[in-house]
Amino acid sequence: MSPDSMILALVINRMLVVFGYISDHSRQRKPAFFIGLISMAGAVTLFIVSTSPPVLVIARLLQGLAAGGVWVAGLALIANRVSRDRIGEAMGHTTLGMTWGGLLGPFTGIM
């Protein structure tokens, strides 16, 4: 692994901690979730309008950060909204959906 990719991984990891901190220390989980969704929309818009490889790299970086924020805040929302006796089932369904989406998404895009 190159030093650049290690630094990028550390930056992304720290951003997940920031989203987790915001989500844990605010009265509601929704603001962190919506910030992540708006950031994701901005990253996708950047993909659409980009005309050069460096802009695509920046868009991908923003997309990864936003996806991490949505993931962390989304799991926190589920933990708050679901009763304790069903939280494992809810987290399992969420993880299953993300896994199947990641597996089937590329094949769906090819078609």
Side-chain angles (χ1 to χ4, degrees):
M1 182 181 266
S2 73
D4 292 337
S5 59
M6 288 174 34
I7 290 171
L8 183 61
L10 285 172
V11 168
I12 291 173
N13 185 17
R14 295 299 168 221
M15 288 305 295
L16 291 178
V17 171
V18 168
F19 270 103
Y21 182 83
I22 291 170
S23 181
D24 282 343
H25 288 80
S26 64
R27 286 185 287 157
Q28 297 179 345
R29 310 279 190 197
K30 289 181 184 178
F33 186 74
F34 285 123
I35 289 169
L37 286 178
I38 291 168
S39 300
M40 182 68 79
V44 170
T45 303
L46 197 56
F47 273 119
I48 292 169
V49 300
S50 68
T51 57
S52 67
V55 176
L56 287 173
V57 170
I58 292 169
R60 180 61 184 108
L61 176 66
L62 292 175
Q63 183 188 31
L65 293 173
V70 169
W71 179 249
V72 169
L75 289 178
L77 270 170
I78 291 170
N80 281 358
R81 301 287 181 185
V82 177
S83 65
R84 287 198 178 269
D85 58 331
R86 298 201 57 201
I87 197 162
E89 180 183 355
M91 293 288 186
H93 285 132
T94 303
T95 305
L96 181 69
M98 288 296 292
T99 302
W100 277 107
L103 287 172
L104 297 177
F107 295 114
T108 306
I110 291 172
M111 299 175 125

